[in-house]
C-alpha cells in the first residue's frame, strides 16, 4: 500500500487559497562559486528525494481534505526559464509540488507552501547542494548541520508539530475582524510575471548596526521598510493609516521541533502613520510589538486557536467543495486585508566549513499576491545577507526608497541586481 500523509494544519490553507494571482510557491536558492552541472544535480536529486518523503509527494483529492501520497515518478531538474514562483503545473512536473531549477551558478528549489515552510525548504536545499558537491567529487562533510542523504528519515521530521504542541489550557478566544491595513496598488505586469530585486549587504555589519539602534536585524529592516512605504504613500496620495508588515515566525525555537513540514506563525507588526515619523519612533514601536508577538504564551495561544478551529466538527464535516471557498473568504478577511506586505527572514543559514568555499550566498523569493503585490524575504549565508523584493506590478518606488534609505542610514554598501522582468529595454 502506498504511504500517505495528512496535509498539516497550515498546509491546508495554501491548498484553499492558491490561484492564478497567488501561486503559494516560494523559492530558496544558493549561488554557487562555479557554473552548475545539470547531470550532477540530477544525480544528487535522485538520491536526496528519497530522504525527504513529505516533500516528494503527489496530492490527491479527498472528500473532506486533500491528502498527500508517495510519488514514484522521477523528479527532474530543469533549466530556469520565465519568472520565479510561477504556479506549478502538476502535469508538466510529474505531479510533484516541488521543482529544482538551475541557471548559471544558481541552484533553486521552488515549493508549494502546503508542503513545508522556509525552514523545511532550506534543509532540503542544504542537503541537495551537499550531495551535488559529492557527485562532483568534492570532499565535503555534513558535520551535523546538514541532514545526511544516507540516513533514514526520522518520524519527528514528518510530524505535524501544531498537533503535537496544541494545548487545551489556553483560553480560545476567537480573533475578531482584523484591522484593515494600507495596501499597495499598482499596474500589473502584462503579460503577468514577477520582477525580483536583490540587495546584498554585509550581514555582520548590518546586524551590529541594528543592535546599536536598540533592536534586532528584523526589527531594524522592518522599520526602514515601514518608513519607505509611508513616505512613498505620502508622496502619492497624502493618506495616513496603518502600515502593517506580516512577519512569519518560525515556531521551532520556542517549541523544539525538527519537523520538515509547516511550523510557523505570522506576526502582523502595524504602525499607525500620521504625517512624517522619525525612524527612531518607528523602531521603538516595531521592537515592542516584535517582543510581545513572539512571547511564548502568545504563540501558544495562536497554535491552540488554529488547531481548535480546524478541529471543530462543522469544519471537519464540510466537504472540500464547500470548505475551500469559505477558507478563501477567511483568508482575505483576516489575512490579506490586515497586512501591507509580507517580510520573511529565514535567518543565518548554517553550513559546514567544507561547503562554504563552494557557495557564495543565498536568495529567498516570496511570491506576491493580488492584495500584496510586493513581498520581501531575507536569507544570510557566509556573512552575506540578501534582501529580495518580488513584485507583480510595474511600480518600484517603494523598493528604490528602501535601498536608498538603508544605504544612507547605515553607510553600508548594498549591491543591487534584478531579473529585469517587465522592464523596458
Amino acid at each position: 500500500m502506498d504511504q500517505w500523509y495528512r496535509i498539516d494544519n497550515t498546509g491546508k490553507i495554501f491548498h484553499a487559497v492558491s490561484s492564478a494571482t497567488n501561486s503559494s510557491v516560494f523559492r530558496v536558492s544558493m549561488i554557487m562559486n562555479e557554473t552548475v552541472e545539470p547531470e550532477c544535480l540530477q544525480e544528487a536529486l535522485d538520491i536526496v528525494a528519497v530522504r525527504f518523503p513529505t516533500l516528494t509527494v503527489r496530492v490527491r483529492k479527498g472528500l473532506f481534505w486533500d491528502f498527500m501520497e508517495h510519488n514514484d515518478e522521477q523528479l527532474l531538474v530543469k533549466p530556469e526559464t520565465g519568472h520565479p514562483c510561477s504556479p506549478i503545473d502538476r502535469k508538466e512536473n510529474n505531479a510533484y509540488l516541488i521543482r529544482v531549477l538551475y541557471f548559471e551558478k544558481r541552484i533553486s528549489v521552488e515549493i508549494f507552501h502546503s508542503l513545508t515552510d522556509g525552514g523545511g525548504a532550506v534543509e532540503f536545499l542544504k542537503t541537495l547542494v551537499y550531495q551535488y558537491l559529492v557527485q562532483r567529487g568534492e570532499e565535503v562533510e555534513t558535520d551535523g548541520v546538514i541532514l545526511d542523504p544516507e540516513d533514514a528519515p526520522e518520524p519527528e521530521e514528518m510530524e505535524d508539530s501544531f498537533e503535537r504542541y496544541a494545548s487545551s489550557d489556553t483560553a480560545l478566544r476567537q480573533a475578531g475582524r482584523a484591522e484593515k491595513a494600507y495596501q499597495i496598488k499598482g499596474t500589473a505586469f502584462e503579460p503577468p510575471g514577477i520582477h525580483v530585486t536583490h540587495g546584498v549587504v554585509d550581514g555582520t555589519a548590518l546586524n551590529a548596526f541594528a543592535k546599536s539602534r536598540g533592536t534586532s536585524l528584523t526589527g531594524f529592516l522592518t522599520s526602514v521598510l515601514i518608513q519607505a512605504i509611508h513616505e512613498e504613500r505620502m508622496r502619492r496620495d497624502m493618506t495616513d493609516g496603518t502600515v502593517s508588515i506580516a512577519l512569519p515566525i518560525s515556531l521551532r525555537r520556542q517549541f523544539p521541533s525538527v519537523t520538515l513540514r509547516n511550523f510557523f506563525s505570522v506576526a502582523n507588526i502595524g504602525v499607525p502613520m500620521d504625517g512624517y515619523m522619525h525612524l527612531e519612533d518607528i523602531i521603538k514601536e516595531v521592537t515592542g510589538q516584535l517582543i510581545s508577538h513572539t512571547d511564548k504564551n502568545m504563540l501558544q495561544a495562536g497554535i491552540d486557536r488554529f488547531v481548535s478551529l480546524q478541529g471543530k466538527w462543522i469544519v471537519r464535516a464540510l466537504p472540500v467543495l464547500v470548505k475551500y471557498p469559505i477558507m478563501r473568504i477567511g483568508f482575505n478577511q483576516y489575512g490579506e486585508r490586515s497586512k501591507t506586505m509580507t517580510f520573511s527572514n529565514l535567518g543565518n543559514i548554517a553550513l559546514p566549513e567544507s561547503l562554504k568555499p563552494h557557495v557564495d550566498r543565498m536568495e529567498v523569493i516570496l511570491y506576491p499576491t493580488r492584495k500584496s503585490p510586493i513581498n520581501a524575504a531575507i536569507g544570510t549565508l557566509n556573512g552575506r545577507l540578501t534582501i529580495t523584493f518580488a513584485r507583480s506590478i510595474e511600480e518600484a518606488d517603494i523598493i528604490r526608497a528602501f535601498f536608498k534609505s538603508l544605504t544612507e542610514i547605515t553607510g553600508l554598501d548594498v549591491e543591487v541586481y534584478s531579473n529585469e522582468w517587465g522592464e523596458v529595454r
Side-chain angles (χ1 to χ4, degrees):
M1 182 178 178
D2 285 339
Q3 189 167 10
W4 69 279
Y5 310 93
R6 289 187 178 90
I7 297 172
D8 63 62
N9 276 266
T10 300
K12 294 171 183 174
I13 295 175
F14 295 108
H15 273 270
V17 305
S18 62
S19 66
T21 57
N22 179 5
S23 70
S24 296
V25 174
F26 68 96
R27 173 190 285 197
V28 291
S29 307
M30 285 192 191
I31 313 302
M32 311 301 291
N33 284 325
E34 294 184 17
T35 301
V36 175
E37 299 177 20
E39 298 80 8
C40 290
L41 185 59
Q42 183 65 64
E43 292 169 1
L45 181 58
D46 290 343
I47 295 169
V48 169
V50 180
R51 178 64 181 78
F52 293 83
T54 57
L55 298 186
T56 51
V57 293
R58 69 171 75 234
V59 171
R60 295 293 194 188
K61 293 291 183 183
L63 177 61
F64 300 105
W65 290 113
D66 294 344
F67 63 95
M68 305 182 299
E69 69 177 16
H70 176 70
N71 191 342
D72 288 322
E73 298 294 326
Q74 186 181 24
L75 178 58
L76 299 172
V77 303
K78 296 180 180 179
E80 184 177 337
T81 58
H83 62 82
C85 304
S86 59
I88 295 177
D89 187 328
R90 300 182 200 183
K91 292 181 180 178
E92 293 181 1
N93 202 44
N94 284 347
Y96 286 98
L97 292 177
I98 177 174
R99 58 186 166 217
V100 175
L101 307 171
Y102 63 91
F103 177 75
E104 295 180 353
K105 298 181 179 180
R106 180 192 296 124
I107 296 174
S108 300
V109 176
E110 296 191 339
I111 300 183
F112 186 61
H113 216 325
S114 71
L115 299 186
T116 188
D117 55 20
V122 166
E123 292 303 324
F124 181 89
L125 176 61
K126 285 163 59 176
T127 302
L128 178 63
V129 168
Y130 161 80
Q131 189 62 43
Y132 165 73
L133 292 170
V134 170
Q135 299 305 119
R136 280 191 47 183
E138 307 291 349
E139 294 187 6
V140 289
E141 303 291 338
T142 60
D143 287 353
V145 296
I146 286 180
L147 294 176
D148 194 320
E150 295 183 2
D151 291 344
E154 297 289 342
E156 293 81 8
E157 296 170 3
M158 297 179 274
E159 74 173 14
D160 184 343
S161 291
F162 285 102
E163 297 285 351
R164 174 184 172 189
Y165 281 105
S167 165
S168 59
D169 298 336
T170 305
L172 294 176
R173 292 184 294 106
Q174 291 299 317
R177 184 178 173 86
E179 177 186 354
K180 189 177 188 307
Y182 170 74
Q183 293 189 318
I184 299 165
K185 294 179 174 59
T187 308
F189 285 125
E190 187 56 48
I194 296 175
H195 184 287
V196 290
T197 305
H198 308 276
V200 184
V201 64
D202 184 327
T204 303
L206 185 57
N207 189 45
F209 185 88
K211 288 183 176 178
S212 75
R213 303 298 284 265
T215 188
S216 64
L217 178 67
T218 299
F220 173 70
L221 291 175
T222 301
S223 301
V224 174
L225 181 57
I226 288 174
Q227 185 180 55
I229 293 171
H230 176 65
E231 290 183 355
E232 288 306 307
R233 179 181 61 174
M234 293 290 288
R235 195 168 287 124
R236 280 199 305 274
D237 51 27
M238 298 298 291
T239 58
D240 293 331
T242 298
V243 175
S244 183
I245 306 298
L247 300 177
I249 307 293
S250 175
L251 295 169
R252 294 173 179 83
R253 182 175 297 178
Q254 293 276 32
F255 302 90
S257 170
V258 294
T259 186
L260 295 173
R261 305 176 76 181
N262 285 294
F263 194 43
F264 71 98
S265 180
V266 176
N268 280 348
I269 308 298
V271 179
M273 303 296 286
D274 181 14
Y276 177 78
M277 292 190 64
H278 292 285
L279 181 61
E280 289 75 14
D281 296 329
I282 301 174
I283 289 174
K284 185 176 180 180
E285 179 66 29
V286 167
T287 304
Q289 289 189 39
L290 263 177
I291 292 170
S292 65
H293 280 79
T294 54
D295 174 76
K296 188 171 184 179
N297 292 330
M298 177 80 78
L299 295 174
Q300 180 70 65
I303 292 173
D304 295 345
R305 187 165 51 243
F306 193 55
V307 174
S308 172
L309 176 63
Q310 294 199 17
K312 291 184 181 299
W313 72 267
I314 186 65
V315 175
R316 296 202 313 269
L318 288 174
V320 164
L321 288 175
V322 177
K323 192 151 37 191
Y324 278 7
I326 293 174
M327 291 174 72
R328 278 193 288 272
I329 293 170
F331 176 74
N332 287 325
Q333 292 300 316
Y334 294 98
E336 290 286 87
R337 78 187 301 272
S338 64
K339 66 183 174 76
T340 305
M341 180 188 295
T342 299
F343 193 30
S344 179
N345 184 3
L346 294 192
N348 192 9
I349 307 305
L351 281 185
E353 288 299 320
S354 58
L355 260 73
K356 290 181 179 179
H358 301 283
V359 184
D360 178 56
R361 63 188 185 280
M362 75 174 299
E363 298 169 347
V364 185
I365 303 179
L366 189 62
Y367 55 94
T369 65
R370 186 170 63 86
K371 292 190 175 181
S372 294
I374 304 176
N375 283 326
I378 309 171
T380 305
L381 190 68
N382 285 345
R384 287 162 66 74
L385 182 148
T386 306
I387 308 168
T388 299
F389 287 89
R391 59 183 167 95
S392 57
I393 56 175
E394 295 177 5
E395 291 79 4
D397 299 352
I398 289 170
I399 300 169
R400 284 193 291 265
F402 172 83
F403 283 124
K404 183 172 183 287
S405 294
L406 183 62
T407 302
E408 290 177 348
I409 294 166
T410 64
L412 298 174
D413 291 329
V414 181
E415 174 195 347
V416 178
Y417 61 100
S418 79
N419 69 340
E420 300 181 349
W421 178 275
E423 292 181 356
V424 179
R425 309 230 169 116

